[in-house]
Amino acid sequence: MDVRDPQRDVADKILAFIGAELLPEPPGRPLGDDTPLLNGLLDSAGLMQLVTYLEEEFDVVVEDTEITPVSFATAGSVARMVAVKLASDSGSASGPVGPVRMR
């Protein structure tokens, strides 16, 4: 049985959205979990489009206080934030959740 990592699915969807909707042309290298988002790849309008996408696609709320250089540093960090929110909403997490590592 093939069991997909939910965080991997989230990251793949985020990367696909960024590549298809937010970049005017392909970046110089393939997008990956460790691709920096805020150092020239996304401008402020692109960041807000990404936040809107996350809220609509994953049915989560991204608070203004969560839009930080740490949370949105890379596609991987965004995927971790969304995965924690999804786990918390499903009741599998209780209380504050620390950093989540991607495999």
Side-chain angles (χ1 to χ4, degrees):
M1 177 168 81
D2 181 26
V3 178
R4 292 269 308 166
D5 177 6
Q7 190 168 322
R8 176 76 262 144
D9 290 340
V10 169
D12 289 345
K13 287 181 179 182
I14 291 168
L15 289 168
F17 174 77
I18 291 170
E21 302 294 328
L22 300 181
L23 301 181
E25 58 186 58
R29 66 182 181 111
L31 292 175
D33 291 348
D34 61 346
T35 301
L37 299 179
L38 301 180
N39 294 333
L41 191 63
L42 296 182
D43 59 13
S44 58
L47 178 61
M48 296 314 333
Q49 284 178 277
L50 178 57
V51 169
T52 299
Y53 168 77
L54 297 173
E55 292 182 335
E56 291 175 358
E57 177 68 23
F58 301 105
D59 195 27
V60 297
V61 175
V62 179
E63 301 291 343
D64 291 345
T65 57
E66 295 174 306
I67 304 172
T68 67
V70 172
S71 295
F72 284 83
T74 65
S77 64
V78 175
R80 282 189 294 278
M81 178 186 67
V82 171
V84 167
K85 287 178 167 294
L86 292 173
S88 178
D89 286 348
S90 70
S92 61
S94 60
V97 178
V100 177
R101 292 211 179 274
M102 294 216 31
R103 292 184 214 178

